[in-house]
Amino acid sequence: MAVTDEAIEKIKGMIVSGALRPGDRLPKESELAAELGLSRNSLREAVRALSLIRILDVRQGDGTYVTSLDPQLLLEALSFVVDFHRDDTVLEFLAVRRILEPAATAMAAMRISDAELDSLGEQLDALGAQPSVEELVAADLEFHRGIVQSSGNSVLCSLIDGLSGPTTRARIWRGLTQEDAVSRTLHEHRAILSALRDRDAEAARSWATVHVASVEQWLRSTL
């Protein structure tokens, strides 16, 4: 593993220094191994590892390329890791969401377009007053994804998107077991949307905090 780690660090150094840029094709395996002072086997293992986390793109019959290094692409690895969460860490995921999502919502208040606001309003109207829990949770994910995307920060958007998965089941259980969960969620969505329409970043931040915290508090009380 130490030899493979060294190979990974050397390729990483080439990318960080600018010797290899997004979209560049890596030199032939034999040439690159000689240039970096590595065995071809350790280089091969390093390329395999870096392709798994979307740093490199191995194209059969064409060669190996540096990916676009777009944040959303790189953070797909986070989503993969998050999928292996344990049930007892869901509160921790919610706590991180409570930090990030209100910040993104406040940023969106100053950037979101009228058309995007209208689209969010139409989503809420389409749900009606008594959606099923499954419909509400699916709509909740889309509602917040739309807001976070409007924040203009692709890294923040990818982080929050990756963290949303583990909390989905908790939100469904809350909807099934807490008497007013559906109506409260709809009310909070309307309040967030109203704050966004008013371009009131602090109100948007506050309502988003209340929204995530309410799920967190319910889950803490049931554990």
Side-chain angles (χ1 to χ4, degrees), residues 154-216:
S154 60
V155 174
L156 190 56
C157 185
S158 296
L159 281 171
I160 294 172
D161 208 35
L163 292 167
S164 294
T167 65
T168 299
R169 187 164 60 177
R171 280 177 280 179
I172 290 174
W173 273 111
R174 180 193 179 214
L176 292 172
T177 60
Q178 191 175 37
E179 186 176 346
D180 62 344
V182 172
S183 60
R184 279 185 62 181
T185 298
L186 291 172
H187 171 70
E188 289 161 3
H189 280 186
R190 291 287 181 190
I192 291 169
L193 181 57
S194 178
L196 291 173
R197 285 196 184 280
D198 291 340
R199 308 294 176 181
D200 189 333
E202 288 311 307
R205 184 196 307 272
S206 297
W207 275 111
T209 302
V210 167
H211 185 59
V212 178
S214 63
V215 180
E216 186 181 353

Side-chain angles (χ1 to χ4, degrees), residues 58-147:
V58 179
R59 305 176 190 173
Q60 294 298 326
D62 187 19
T64 299
Y65 293 79
V66 181
T67 67
S68 66
L69 303 180
D70 180 79
Q72 190 165 4
L73 181 70
L74 299 181
L75 287 169
E76 283 181 10
L78 171 66
S79 298
F80 180 79
V81 173
V82 163
D83 285 340
F84 291 96
H85 78 281
R86 303 187 313 272
D87 285 347
D88 60 357
T89 63
V90 173
L91 276 171
E92 295 179 6
F93 283 109
L94 281 166
V96 176
R97 274 194 66 208
R98 180 163 44 84
I99 295 168
L100 297 180
E101 200 160 299
T105 305
M107 292 168 64
M110 310 312 296
R111 293 171 173 267
I112 195 166
S113 69
D114 289 340
E116 289 168 329
L117 288 168
D118 289 342
S119 178
L120 291 173
E122 289 167 4
Q123 287 178 33
L124 293 181
D125 291 341
L127 268 179
Q130 294 181 314
S132 70
V133 172
E134 290 78 6
E135 288 173 335
L136 180 63
V137 171
D140 182 80
L141 288 169
E142 287 305 310
F143 180 78
H144 293 290
R145 183 176 289 120
I147 293 172

Side-chain angles (χ1 to χ4, degrees), residues 15-67:
I15 295 172
V16 171
S17 69
L20 286 173
R21 297 181 178 278
D24 282 356
R25 181 178 178 174
L26 270 64
K28 291 180 179 179
E29 185 181 272
S30 57
E31 295 174 4
L32 186 58
E35 179 183 343
L36 297 178
L38 301 167
S39 71
R40 292 178 68 172
N41 187 57
S42 63
L43 177 60
R44 202 172 296 129
E45 290 298 320
V47 167
R48 186 177 292 117
L50 290 170
S51 68
L52 287 173
I53 58 173
R54 313 304 292 274
I55 301 293
L56 298 178
D57 178 19
V58 179
R59 305 176 190 173
Q60 294 298 326
D62 187 19
T64 299
Y65 293 79
V66 181
T67 67

